[in-house]
Amino acid sequence: MHITYAHASTQRVPALDDAAVHGIALRFYDPTGERYGLPTYPYRWAPVGLLTARQLRAQGLRPGGQPIAAQIIWRRGARVAYLYRYDLAKPKRTATPAQQAAIAKALAARRTCSTCGRERWYYIPRSLGECLDCAEQSGGLA
């Protein structure tokens, strides 16, 4: 599997550049991508115009097949979030009426008891295979 990264625009953060000049070590600040392979920023310091997939989704957008533009690393390198360019993001796709109907039908099936046939307000536990009332009557709940 080959992953491509967008290195076209290196974005520097002036406040972090100033900190580096004054001798403050910034382990996860690498706007050129020399150290980590792609532009890297510390937690909460991503440049304007770069968003995570979750942030894009919150705005009704998706990455839309664009390459990863940068990353955020935090918790001593244990956590990584990839950043995408806002200007290249595409609108989220919406489900068709047929897809929405299929989803509603599937979710209703997960709430329908196989023993009594009643639809419940909760999803039937797969471990029991029947609603809680039927499981209690058959001794399935201990």
Side-chain angles (χ1 to χ4, degrees), residues 31-106:
T32 61
E34 290 176 26
R35 202 172 347 153
Y36 295 104
L38 66 154
T40 303
Y41 301 95
Y43 186 66
R44 295 187 186 258
W45 282 98
V48 174
L50 295 179
L51 301 172
T52 65
R54 182 175 285 191
Q55 290 169 328
L56 288 174
R57 270 195 313 272
Q59 295 186 23
L61 301 170
R62 62 187 170 95
Q66 67 173 292
I68 297 168
Q71 67 182 348
I72 296 173
I73 300 179
W74 73 101
R75 288 202 181 160
R76 298 184 183 144
R79 299 293 308 255
V80 176
Y82 296 115
L83 300 171
Y84 301 93
R85 289 180 42 187
Y86 177 80
D87 60 340
L88 297 179
K90 297 179 180 176
K92 280 181 10 182
R93 292 178 274 195
T94 57
T96 65
Q99 289 171 325
Q100 290 175 344
I103 291 168
K105 184 177 176 182

Side-chain angles (χ1 to χ4, degrees), residues 1 22-23 111 117 137:
M1 183 169 117
H22 290 86
R111 292 189 306 270
Q137 289 175 358

